[in-house]
Amino acid sequence: MLNEDSIAGPELPQLLMAAIGAQDGNHIASLLQPLTHSEALREILNLKEEDRVAAIALMPVELAAMLIEEAPSEIGAELVGSLAPKQGADVLEELNSEVQADVVGEMDTAQAEAFLSQMDAEEASDVRRLIEYDDDCAGGLMSADAFTFPQDATVGTVLRKLASDDTDFERYRGQHPYVLDAQGIPIGVLSLRGLLTAKRVQKLSDIMVAPITIQVETQLSALEDIFDAHSFLGMPVVEADGKLAGVLSRTSVAEAVAERAEHESLRRQGVFGDELRSMPLRIRSKRRLAWLSANIVLNIIAASVISAYEETLTAVIAIAIFLPMVSDMSGCSGNQAVGVTMRELSLGLVRPVDAMRVWLKEVSVGVINGAVLGVLIGLVAWAWKGNAWLGLVIGLALALNTVLAVSIGGVVPLILKRLGQDPAAASGPLLTTITDMAGFFLVLSLATLFMPFLL
Amino acid sequence: MLNEDSIAGPELPQLLMAAIGAQDGNHIASLLQPLTHSEALREILNLKEEDRVAAIALMPVELAAMLIEEAPSEIGAELVGSLAPKQGADVLEELNSEVQADVVGEMDTAQAEAFLSQMDAEEASDVRRLIEYDDDCAGGLMSADAFTFPQDATVGTVLRKLASDDTDFERYRGQHPYVLDAQGIPIGVLSLRGLLTAKRVQKLSDIMVAPITIQVETQLSALEDIFDAHSFLGMPVVEADGKLAGVLSRTSVAEAVAERAEHESLRRQGVFGDELRSMPLRIRSKRRLAWLSANIVLNIIAASVISAYEETLTAVIAIAIFLPMVSDMSGCSGNQAVGVTMRELSLGLVRPVDAMRVWLKEVSVGVINGAVLGVLIGLVAWAWKGNAWLGLVIGLALALNTVLAVSIGGVVPLILKRLGQDPAAASGPLLTTITDMAGFFLVLSLATLFMPFLL
């Protein structure tokens, strides 16, 4: 039975600090041992930077590697980067090859080379190869370790290898053995059934079947389709020349999809670069400001609409109460439409060319919701200020702006995607700027029109 | 080589409609065959409802099952639900046991029973058992199919089963064989190495090792920790009485995490119930309105602050231009902090008890970003309206409100979680209401204070 709710006691940070002070790496390990991996990482990240650096340097290499596998790669790179080259190389060698590449990929070239030059030459060359690939393509997600045999090997060889106590074998768990030709091109894949029903002296080329391969540059969305269409737990990845580059597991694809969803969700909130609170204040503040500053400009553009109607506002000051309400409510309606389109995009259910169909679907929702919200807010305005015409102006403005907001919200991610922009980061600000401007314009121009009845 | 960018031609919908009109299920299948699963689903969902129902009823059972495995479970339930009981049961039998339970779980009891009663009795009873579990616990994510043997079976039995041509074996791919006692309690797990190195006549009880089991009610966040701590591709799930209930795979956990991230991201945008545009307009509109109506109330509360300062507004109408800007900018800053906390929550790096530490970390960002944004907007207001005091009022209000917004944004998800509320759905509206109120109050009360200099 597993201990599922082990909670770090409040005294743990003090005990950790004492162990760090005493330079006792084994004691640090025994303090963290009862925790889950994410709890242990949390405790280490909550230490002050100098203590964290000391703790990582003192603890056993296996524990440091476990923490780094658990951490987002930017944090992993920081933790490895704080170690001396030899020790950092030892920690890197403990990591899975995908994690090695993710962590080293976050370092600058000089720092990366400092660690790579201290690693086992073969592993270092695997890492150098893997970091060349984009994070979200087969090359960036695959493991460089594959369970391979030459085509003239026999069934007996494979069975002996499967039965061997070789700890390296752990890495290949769930993989099918692949058969390579003399050039390193995968020409066959072996099934357990084939291995168990064949004679031990049979050549692998007699029992293998042709493998389905994936190109290194295949993108994540295509990989999802490929793993949907085939039930394999892992598939061989090949370079442009057909040579085996590594093996991609179904789990790695599922994990990359989860990570993509989380990053997208963060970008929609204006958070970039996988911010965690253990990062330096300067970086956190700067990254957030970059997005906010762009937003200020958009806000000024929207506000200039209000500025054009100062006379109307001065005459009917009650309008000022409802301006932020209309713009906020329309923004919310539009963001719902953005959310649905982003989801349909990630499920592959909608493409940029479907913009017209999406627009038609959203307009229907917009008309219904605009009517309901318009009546509601119109009644509120009427009751609050005792003027039915004011209710009409506010209600009509919100109704029209809701239709506009959901129409734009539904198609803006598709247009941005078509233009090669990031729909997650840009849809929200673009949408709210347009709906703010339109909302201010509708309220104020309708108020100008009905001015005699509002006074 | 796989065809990664097969794009459905523009004439496909017409061809599909013709095949549906001709009642030619095989032609429908051959039209969809070149597409990826998600492309095929998109084409089917884009049909009008009556055509979609006809297409599903006409197509081969395996194709219908494939589309349903690809679809979100609510859509899957709708597609199966449109079929006659016997045909629906045939389609359900083609699905993996987790998908069966997800789809049937979306139906009401009467409808579910109509299909279950037509299914193979054993499979139906598995489904009835699985739908009792929450979606996000081990019981809801596991597969009911396990690869099991009694303890007195021999190594030869297992090897023969592994080598057999039994198509059912496909379901167990990547699973280790489990050994059950007479009560159905898992008492051992077999490694391939153990099986290959033992004599064929040996009893399984001689070579098995004790399994690590998971309780059916274990929640997703705990499951992530368990699979982090162990490198197994699958683990046995047991009922409270210790009996084997099913097997949970690493991939199912990773996929559930991806789905959770996507749902959370949608809830943050005010979209509930996995909305897709192929759902009925009535449902889509109603669900979106429920959240928007709550938002109207919050907006009215915030706007009442403006109402209290109508005199100030009338005197200095320029203030009205900056009110929405200050509230929007603070909302954005606060949402960035919400985003980081939600991410740290999902990574297990922060807990509700860490609210104070989070608050301290956010205040530092708030002070820096508030100062920068306050100066920027202050200069804009000064330049625009030619009044330095106006710049001071607006800039100071935004600076103070930014500090407030990031402080609240950082801790609000933690407090909501502590109170057992959904932080994804409620953090945003709660945050913006508070920052709107505070923003309006700061701008208007500062303006009242500096009134002599603003006129």
Side-chain angles (χ1 to χ4, degrees):
Chain A
M1 214 65 349
L2 289 159
N3 179 5
E4 286 154 23
D5 32 34
S6 59
I7 289 291
E11 71 289 358
L12 185 62
Q14 282 79 53
L15 294 174
L16 271 175
M17 294 289 289
I20 294 164
Q23 310 225 334
D24 186 346
N26 290 328
H27 189 45
I28 297 174
S30 67
L31 287 169
L32 296 179
Q33 204 273 323
L35 307 185
T36 66
H37 294 197
S38 62
E39 286 168 356
L41 177 64
R42 185 180 62 221
E43 293 302 324
I44 291 298
L45 291 182
N46 283 354
L47 294 171
K48 276 198 287 296
E49 197 183 339
E50 62 202 73
D51 295 324
R52 196 189 311 155
V53 169
I56 293 288
L58 289 166
M59 67 177 60
V61 165
E62 297 76 23
L63 176 58
M66 179 279 273
L67 291 172
I68 287 157
E69 298 222 337
E70 180 69 22
S73 44
E74 198 163 5
I75 301 283
E78 213 183 286
L79 295 178
V80 174
S82 71
L83 295 171
K86 184 73 193 87
Q87 196 181 5
D90 289 344
V91 171
L92 284 172
E93 287 188 0
E94 289 287 319
L95 304 172
N96 288 332
S97 71
E98 316 91 278
V99 184
Q100 285 176 342
D102 288 346
V103 166
V104 174
E106 294 286 342
M107 300 177 177
D108 63 43
T109 324
Q111 194 184 22
E113 269 312 313
F115 292 108
L116 288 172
S117 62
Q118 297 286 323
M119 283 174 69
D120 170 76
E122 200 181 325
E123 274 200 69
S125 104
D126 274 349
V127 175
R128 286 196 189 91
R129 189 160 58 85
L130 288 181
I131 55 180
E132 296 302 313
Y133 301 116
D134 271 356
D135 282 350
D136 266 7
C137 71
L141 297 170
M142 71 186 186
S143 160
D145 306 311
F147 190 35
T148 61
F149 295 88
Q151 55 184 320
D152 52 359
T154 62
V155 170
T157 322
V158 181
L159 289 179
R160 269 194 303 281
K161 181 82 176 164
L162 280 172
S164 75
D165 210 8
D166 188 351
T167 53
D168 266 6
F169 175 62
E170 273 301 295
R171 303 191 173 199
Y172 309 124
R173 206 117 64 99
Q175 278 190 26
H176 285 268
Y178 300 115
V179 180
L180 302 185
D181 72 5
Q183 278 73 49
I185 293 173
I187 52 167
V189 57
L190 302 170
S191 71
L192 191 54
R193 180 175 171 271
L195 288 167
L196 290 174
T197 51
K199 297 247 175 289
R200 295 212 157 208
V201 293
Q202 262 188 292
K203 283 222 173 150
L204 296 182
S205 49
D206 295 340
I207 63 158
M208 70 191 189
V209 295
I212 297 177
T213 59
I214 297 172
Q215 296 288 324
V216 280
E217 74 274 14
T218 309
Q219 293 297 305
L220 183 56
S221 52
L223 294 172
E224 286 184 80
D225 287 335
I226 294 171
F227 276 91
D228 271 348
H230 302 278
S231 63
F232 307 120
L233 289 173
M235 290 173 77
V237 181
V238 295
E239 305 276 2
D241 59 7
K243 286 190 187 146
L244 185 71
V247 178
L248 179 62
S249 72
R250 179 174 288 272
T251 306
S252 296
V253 172
E255 283 170 355
V257 170
E259 212 171 295
R260 183 187 60 185
E262 273 169 3
H263 286 185
E264 235 175 40
S265 168
L266 279 176
R267 289 205 305 280
R268 271 195 246 171
Q269 312 255 105
V271 181
F272 297 85
D274 290 0
E275 178 180 337
L276 292 180
R277 293 206 171 85
S278 49
M279 290 179 180
L281 174 61
R282 186 177 36 80
I283 293 178
R284 295 171 58 217
S285 169
K286 207 174 85 184
R287 284 186 183 161
R288 291 200 198 174
L289 268 178
W291 186 78
L292 291 170
S293 313
N295 233 309
I296 273 200
V297 177
L298 296 177
N299 261 290
I300 292 169
I301 296 170
S304 61
V305 176
I306 308 181
S307 184
Y309 285 92
E310 278 190 32
E311 269 177 49
T312 305
L313 263 184
T314 313
V316 196
I317 197 69
I319 294 283
I321 301 172
F322 294 96
L323 280 179
M325 218 189 273
V326 170
S327 79
D328 180 77
M329 288 302 301
S330 318
C332 287
S333 293
N335 266 316
Q336 290 180 322
V338 168
V340 176
T341 297
M342 293 298 298
R343 171 167 156 85
E344 294 196 335
L345 268 176
S346 84
L347 288 171
L349 296 178
V350 84
R351 298 158 300 176
V353 296
D354 296 324
M356 181 53 81
R357 190 177 58 78
V358 165
W359 181 76
L360 286 173
K361 287 267 184 186
E362 282 303 324
V363 164
S364 335
V365 175
V367 168
I368 297 177
N369 291 9
V372 174
L373 297 174
V375 168
L376 277 178
I377 208 170
L379 291 174
V380 168
W382 183 4
W384 197 345
K385 296 292 160 185
N387 184 330
W389 289 98
L390 180 71
L392 179 71
V393 165
I394 303 297
L396 192 58
L398 180 59
L400 294 173
N401 209 36
T402 301
V403 178
L404 182 80
V406 295
S407 313
I408 294 175
V411 299
V412 132
L414 300 177
I415 294 171
L416 286 168
K417 196 169 170 92
R418 182 56 168 249
L419 298 175
Q421 301 299 309
D422 175 10
S427 295
L430 202 58
L431 168 81
T432 42
T433 306
I434 300 173
T435 56
D436 279 3
M437 290 180 77
F440 298 152
F441 171 78
L442 283 167
V443 172
L444 292 163
S445 61
L446 286 172
T448 310
L449 199 65
F450 291 100
M451 184 68 87
F453 309 103
L454 296 174
L455 295 173
Chain B
M1 214 63 353
L2 291 158
N3 178 4
E4 284 153 25
D5 31 34
S6 60
I7 290 290
E11 71 288 358
L12 185 61
Q14 281 77 52
L15 295 174
L16 271 176
M17 294 288 289
I20 294 166
Q23 308 225 337
D24 187 346
N26 290 328
H27 189 44
I28 297 175
S30 69
L31 287 169
L32 297 178
Q33 204 272 325
L35 307 186
T36 67
H37 294 197
S38 63
E39 285 169 355
L41 177 64
R42 185 180 61 221
E43 293 302 324
I44 291 297
L45 292 182
N46 284 354
L47 294 172
K48 276 199 283 295
E49 198 184 339
E50 62 203 74
D51 295 324
R52 195 189 313 156
V53 169
I56 294 286
L58 289 167
M59 68 178 58
V61 165
E62 298 73 26
L63 176 58
M66 179 279 271
L67 291 172
I68 287 157
E69 297 223 338
E70 180 69 20
S73 44
E74 200 163 2
I75 301 284
E78 213 183 287
L79 296 178
V80 174
S82 71
L83 295 171
K86 184 71 194 90
Q87 195 181 7
D90 288 345
V91 171
L92 284 172
E93 285 187 3
E94 289 288 319
L95 304 172
N96 288 332
S97 72
E98 317 91 277
V99 184
Q100 285 176 341
D102 288 345
V103 166
V104 175
E106 294 285 342
M107 300 178 177
D108 62 43
T109 324
Q111 196 185 21
E113 270 313 312
F115 292 108
L116 288 172
S117 62
Q118 298 286 323
M119 282 174 69
D120 171 77
E122 199 181 326
E123 272 201 72
S125 104
D126 274 348
V127 175
R128 286 196 188 91
R129 190 160 58 84
L130 287 181
I131 55 178
E132 296 302 313
Y133 301 116
D134 271 355
D135 282 350
D136 266 7
C137 71
L141 298 170
M142 71 187 187
S143 160
D145 307 312
F147 191 34
T148 61
F149 294 88
Q151 56 184 320
D152 51 0
T154 63
V155 169
T157 321
V158 181
L159 289 179
R160 270 193 304 280
K161 180 82 176 166
L162 280 171
S164 75
D165 209 8
D166 188 351
T167 54
D168 266 5
F169 175 63
E170 272 301 295
R171 303 193 174 199
Y172 309 124
R173 205 116 63 102
Q175 278 190 27
H176 285 268
Y178 299 115
V179 180
L180 303 185
D181 72 6
Q183 279 72 50
I185 294 173
I187 52 167
V189 57
L190 302 170
S191 70
L192 191 54
R193 180 174 172 271
L195 288 167
L196 290 173
T197 51
K199 296 248 176 289
R200 294 212 158 208
V201 294
Q202 261 188 293
K203 284 221 172 150
L204 297 183
S205 49
D206 295 341
I207 64 159
M208 70 192 188
V209 296
I212 297 177
T213 59
I214 297 172
Q215 297 287 322
V216 279
E217 74 274 15
T218 308
Q219 294 297 305
L220 182 57
S221 52
L223 294 173
E224 286 185 81
D225 288 334
I226 294 171
F227 276 92
D228 270 348
H230 301 278
S231 62
F232 308 120
L233 289 173
M235 290 174 75
V237 181
V238 295
E239 306 274 2
D241 59 8
K243 286 188 189 148
L244 185 71
V247 178
L248 180 62
S249 72
R250 180 174 289 271
T251 306
S252 296
V253 172
E255 284 170 354
V257 170
E259 214 171 293
R260 183 186 60 186
E262 273 169 3
H263 287 185
E264 235 175 40
S265 166
L266 278 177
R267 289 205 304 281
R268 270 195 247 172
Q269 312 254 108
V271 181
F272 297 85
D274 289 1
E275 179 179 336
L276 292 179
R277 294 205 172 87
S278 49
M279 291 180 180
L281 174 61
R282 186 177 37 80
I283 294 179
R284 295 170 59 217
S285 170
K286 207 174 85 183
R287 285 186 182 159
R288 291 199 198 175
L289 268 178
W291 186 79
L292 291 170
S293 313
N295 232 310
I296 272 201
V297 177
L298 296 177
N299 261 291
I300 292 169
I301 297 170
S304 63
V305 175
I306 308 181
S307 184
Y309 285 92
E310 279 190 31
E311 268 177 50
T312 306
L313 263 184
T314 314
V316 195
I317 198 68
I319 294 283
I321 301 173
F322 294 96
L323 280 179
M325 217 189 273
V326 169
S327 79
D328 181 77
M329 289 301 301
S330 318
C332 287
S333 293
N335 267 317
Q336 289 181 323
V338 169
V340 176
T341 296
M342 293 298 297
R343 172 166 154 85
E344 294 197 334
L345 268 176
S346 83
L347 289 171
L349 295 178
V350 83
R351 297 158 301 175
V353 297
D354 296 324
M356 180 54 80
R357 189 176 59 78
V358 166
W359 182 75
L360 286 172
K361 286 268 183 184
E362 281 303 324
V363 163
S364 335
V365 175
V367 168
I368 297 176
N369 291 9
V372 174
L373 297 174
V375 167
L376 278 178
I377 208 170
L379 292 174
V380 168
W382 182 6
W384 198 345
K385 295 291 159 184
N387 184 330
W389 289 97
L390 181 70
L392 179 71
V393 164
I394 304 296
L396 192 57
L398 179 59
L400 293 174
N401 210 36
T402 301
V403 177
L404 183 80
V406 295
S407 311
I408 294 176
V411 299
V412 132
L414 300 176
I415 294 172
L416 285 168
K417 194 167 171 96
R418 182 56 167 248
L419 299 175
Q421 302 299 309
D422 174 11
S427 294
L430 202 58
L431 169 81
T432 42
T433 306
I434 300 172
T435 55
D436 279 3
M437 290 180 76
F440 297 153
F441 171 78
L442 284 167
V443 171
L444 292 164
S445 61
L446 286 171
T448 311
L449 197 66
F450 290 100
M451 184 69 87
F453 308 103
L454 296 175
L455 296 172

